[in-house]
Amino acid sequence: MCTVIVHVPETPGAPVRLLAVRDEDPARAWDPLGAWWPESPDVVGVRDRRAGGAWLAADPAAGRIAVILNRADIVPDGDAPLESRGRIVLDAVGGAALETPPHTHGFNLVELTATGATVTMWDGDALRRVELAPGIHMIAHDDVDDPATARIAAWRDAFDAPETVDEEWRERWLDTLERTSAVGPVDDRAIVRDNRPFGYPTLSLLVCTASVGASGVDVRYGEFAEPGVWNRPVVH
């Protein structure tokens, strides 16, 4: 139930930018943004302690960023055990090809480089990959910019497109995120969410912002003081 906003610039060479809100069970332990994988010393990310993978990761040296969102499966599980989706993020920033078909539950994988952004969608039956056109895009648990997703229909146009050189975009996007919280965390339009009324034990826990461009990769992290409740995080 996470949410990601991406801006792909019109101007070639301008940074590609991202804001990601993570929804997860607060009882599932995680490690904040850091270098947690000895086998990949250049990679930093938000690590899931249980499975060892990443929700979001970046390889600054390679100029890659990836973040994964859960997506509902449209076909029932088979007999084979499924793998953790967190490994997909580490493979993506490492430049490894995605296994086809993936042996995981459904996901939306968002990948950024200095040249643009892609989203790979897996619903348990079909694997699709789209390159994002210039502009603002929003991804949740369905397709990219899906108007049937209430938060996308309500808020996609609320996030402004940053200028080519723009150091204030993070704060403006956090301002916008704060405005979206006026609907409350259990409204279907919410981005900062409490998903328990919908049958999931997940709440919004943290925010990451990221940009990748000619000047390199910049990833920042901040946690909500109380899960599922808006209080402006300090991202650093």
Side-chain angles (χ1 to χ4, degrees), residues 108-146:
N108 289 330
L109 174 68
V110 184
E111 297 175 80
L112 274 63
T113 68
T115 60
T118 63
V119 179
T120 303
M121 297 166 280
W122 168 241
D123 60 13
D125 180 45
L127 189 68
R128 295 175 289 138
R129 182 180 175 90
V130 296
E131 182 174 346
L132 299 185
I136 293 284
H137 301 277
M138 198 166 175
I139 305 100
H141 55 278
D142 291 312
D143 284 358
V144 179
D145 300 329
D146 193 332

Side-chain angles (χ1 to χ4, degrees), residues 6 20 25-26 89 93 100 103 126-127 135 141 143 147 158 168-169 172 187:
V6 174
D25 184 345
V89 177
V93 296
T100 305
H103 297 290
L127 189 68
H141 55 278
D143 284 358
E168 302 300 324
W169 70 274
R172 291 203 312 279
D187 191 289

